[in-house]
Amino acid sequence: MSKKLQAIRGMHDILPTKTPLWQMIEKAMFEVCQQYGYAEIRMPIVESSDLFCRSIGEVTDIVEKEMYTFDDRNGDSLSLRPEGTAGCVRAGLEHGLFYNQTQRLWYQGPMFRHERPQKGRYRQFHQMGVECFGISGAEIEAELILMTYRLWKKLGLADQLSLEINSLGTNQERLAYKALLTQFLEQHKEQLDEDSLRRLHSNPLRILDSKNPAMQSLIEQAPKLMDSLGEESTLHFQTLRQLLDDAGVTCVHNPRLVRGLDYYSHTVFEWVTSSLGAQGTVCAGGRFDGLIEQLGGKATPAVGFAMGMERLVLLLDDAPWVAVKPLAYIIHQGEAAKNQAMRLVERLRDELPTHSFILHCGDASLKSQFKKADKVDATFALVLGESEVENQHVGIKFLRERKEQEQIPQDELINFLTNNS
Ligand code: ATP
Ligand code: MG
């Protein structure tokens, strides 16, 4: 017997009952991006594996064990993108977008990581990301955070999300801190879990990001990165905090916030919720000034964030939101009525372009057509039978109100629907 066809584990269909919610979130995002002057960029889903190794970092979870990597027919190693920033920087370099100019960009789409699937964590998931290139001051970090804050307010999520920020300082400051941290962790080697032991010399900072509860008290006691920062980095961080304060955005300084990707420096931030368990980070970002140079370009200041769409959808699942319901379902009986219904519904779509109309297709009894009209939640059923065709009338049945069915001339239908919608 052939195997039942199924979606790949961790990769989900988004069904028509859920897409209105997705579209509502996407629309709110597009509007906010537009308000702040950000333009959309669309990158391929597949890139050379090398791009991700060189940007995200060889010893990160993503590159070490989460990427979907394969050789294509030419023997080139390709990967499904696990995130958007690397591809965005590659595209910017390839098309000269960073040369002496500021770029405010956003993207969205599917990302792929071979993780253990659970609520809020999938193997294909969707991110909406924003990147800004060419601005080094803390006001741009503030701008990104204000954008996200505006979005939460628009979506009614502001009360559920809190902002955590930290500074990773410059590369040099981080190197000095790494030495301190390694020394501390060496002294408590017996308390490190397997992952952390592996990271101890390759990427000790990532140990601070461990999700293992048994590691938390050790992490609490570790030296703080903040104490290793120089004057300039400290000032940058303080300026950002002041800007956020002035704008009325509350934030918490989380000295252990390091992020899972190697390319960050200075500011890192996360919007977190307590309602999604270990998958509590809804949006994460920061500054990545070194990345463009690392990928072969001229040193360019850069900041960005990415938000996980599925996690937002989970948070909004119970919120009241309105799917578009059809204004009318068009019911007909007989050949002549069917033809007239087709013409009539096209006229309605011409005249009332913001409404949705469903034309009954196929032959069915009036009763069964009325049932369908009710099932799709239409406000009205418009009825065309033999007599209506003859005298150019249309029957109107109110599906949501207790009212008698009416007959009106077809010429008055647009007026009627405009006044009753
Ligand atoms: P986490 O700590 O939850 O693993 P991360 O640090 O790996 O997240 P980023 O790479 O910064 O996440 O991605 C930004 C956002 O994308 C996350 O905050 C989250 O909302 C979302 N995200 C990341 N990985 C997944 C996944 N496997 N499934 C669903 N959403 C994800
Ligand atoms: Mg992760």
Side-chain angles (χ1 to χ4, degrees):
M1 209 176 77
S2 64
K3 212 173 134 199
K4 201 166 123 201
L5 290 173
Q6 276 185 327
I8 307 301
R9 188 165 126 82
M11 304 197 181
H12 295 283
D13 301 306
I14 301 166
L15 297 177
T17 44
K18 277 286 147 65
T19 47
L21 176 55
W22 281 74
Q23 288 173 356
M24 186 272 278
I25 300 172
E26 285 161 359
K27 185 164 169 274
M29 285 173 175
F30 303 159
E31 284 168 2
V32 170
C33 287
Q34 196 166 12
Q35 282 188 293
Y36 285 78
Y38 284 69
E40 186 185 6
I41 180 165
R42 301 188 186 191
M43 297 85 64
I45 286 170
V46 181
E47 299 267 1
S48 82
S49 304
D50 189 42
L51 170 67
F52 301 115
C53 299
R54 281 172 60 188
S55 55
I56 297 168
E58 301 268 7
V59 277
T60 54
D61 278 352
I62 295 181
V63 172
E64 267 183 348
K65 51 187 189 195
E66 294 173 1
M67 278 213 298
Y68 282 89
T69 296
F70 58 95
D71 285 345
D72 80 350
R73 289 169 195 272
N74 307 326
D76 298 325
S77 177
L78 306 182
S79 295
L80 301 186
R81 62 183 185 190
E83 56 103 57
T85 303
C88 183
V89 170
R90 198 261 319 128
L93 284 171
E94 198 168 323
H95 301 284
L97 303 186
F98 305 139
Y99 191 71
N100 273 348
Q101 54 193 320
T102 300
Q103 288 288 351
R104 285 179 162 86
L105 304 173
W106 67 269
Y107 61 82
Q108 64 150 354
M111 307 294 162
F112 302 84
R113 297 184 194 175
H114 196 273
E115 301 196 68
R116 193 170 70 77
Q118 50 198 298
K119 188 179 173 191
R121 193 175 294 286
Y122 311 101
R123 291 182 174 173
Q124 173 174 328
F125 61 99
H126 298 76
Q127 280 184 342
M128 188 271 182
V130 167
E131 322 278 12
C132 177
F133 300 95
I135 302 177
S136 56
E139 67 272 24
I140 192 65
E141 278 110 312
E143 176 172 298
L144 292 192
I145 290 171
L146 286 173
M147 272 174 94
T148 49
Y149 186 55
R150 186 176 293 273
L151 180 65
W152 311 147
K153 283 192 290 191
K154 231 175 147 97
L155 295 173
L157 285 174
D159 293 346
Q160 287 187 61
L161 295 172
S162 52
L163 175 65
E164 296 189 355
I165 63 171
N166 192 22
S167 174
L168 302 180
T170 62
N171 280 344
Q172 285 92 329
E173 287 158 355
R174 223 160 34 254
L175 269 179
Y177 172 71
K178 262 186 192 171
L180 276 179
L181 179 66
T182 313
Q183 199 181 16
F184 168 85
L185 293 170
E186 281 278 5
Q187 284 162 8
H188 300 86
K189 222 170 168 170
E190 72 293 344
Q191 293 179 48
L192 298 181
D193 62 11
E194 201 183 314
D195 261 352
S196 306
L197 275 174
R198 203 159 38 85
R199 299 241 138 83
L200 183 54
H201 293 286
S202 57
N203 197 354
L205 242 67
R206 283 284 282 119
I207 298 178
L208 301 180
D209 190 39
S210 164
K211 306 236 159 42
N212 181 355
M215 293 277 303
Q216 297 313 310
S217 88
L218 182 67
I219 290 170
E220 290 280 340
Q221 296 159 38
K224 306 270 178 294
L225 211 170
M226 213 61 205
D227 300 331
S228 298
L229 296 193
E231 214 173 298
E232 223 173 291
S233 296
T234 310
L235 183 65
H236 187 97
F237 190 60
Q238 278 167 354
T239 309
L240 173 61
R241 295 200 69 170
Q242 189 60 52
L243 288 170
L244 292 176
D245 204 39
D246 291 347
V249 184
T250 314
C251 70
V252 175
H253 176 205
N254 174 356
R256 288 170 304 281
L257 186 66
V258 290
R259 313 283 306 106
L261 300 88
D262 270 2
Y263 50 60
Y264 286 106
S265 59
H266 290 290
T267 314
V268 285
F269 68 87
E270 288 191 356
W271 283 99
V272 296
T273 168
S274 52
S275 35
L276 295 176
Q279 279 62 251
T281 306
V282 168
C283 171
R287 184 168 276 286
F288 49 98
D289 288 349
L291 183 60
I292 290 134
E293 204 174 11
Q294 202 174 307
L295 293 179
K298 212 175 83 189
T300 307
V303 289
F305 66 76
M307 56 183 103
M309 292 292 294
E310 280 79 0
R311 294 184 191 179
L312 282 176
V313 167
L314 280 170
L315 285 180
L316 285 165
D317 236 0
D318 306 325
W321 46 272
V322 186
V324 179
K325 290 177 183 166
L327 183 57
Y329 190 92
I330 294 88
I331 287 172
H332 47 84
Q333 198 85 91
E335 209 49 37
K338 189 196 273 184
N339 291 337
Q340 196 164 84
M342 187 97 197
R343 285 195 299 274
L344 182 70
V345 72
E346 280 304 303
R347 228 171 71 213
L348 296 179
R349 290 175 185 135
D350 284 341
E351 301 288 333
L352 302 167
T354 56
H355 288 287
S356 149
F357 298 97
I358 300 182
L359 174 67
H360 180 82
C361 290
D363 297 319
S365 69
L366 280 178
K367 191 172 163 209
S368 118
Q369 293 190 50
F370 273 118
K371 260 196 188 155
K372 292 211 159 105
D374 198 42
K375 198 157 174 218
V376 298
D377 243 350
T379 310
F380 302 105
L382 304 182
V383 190
L384 286 174
E386 244 172 64
S387 64
E388 283 86 358
V389 170
E390 214 160 277
N391 52 30
Q392 294 293 300
H393 272 55
V394 56
I396 296 176
K397 187 168 160 84
F398 296 78
L399 297 173
R400 310 288 138 219
E401 282 175 272
R402 280 188 178 279
K403 268 192 191 174
E404 283 295 304
Q405 185 163 324
E406 285 182 26
Q407 290 277 336
I408 61 166
Q410 286 179 21
D411 285 347
E412 288 171 21
L413 184 57
I414 307 281
N415 253 346
F416 170 87
L417 291 173
T418 310
N419 295 334
N420 287 279
S421 59

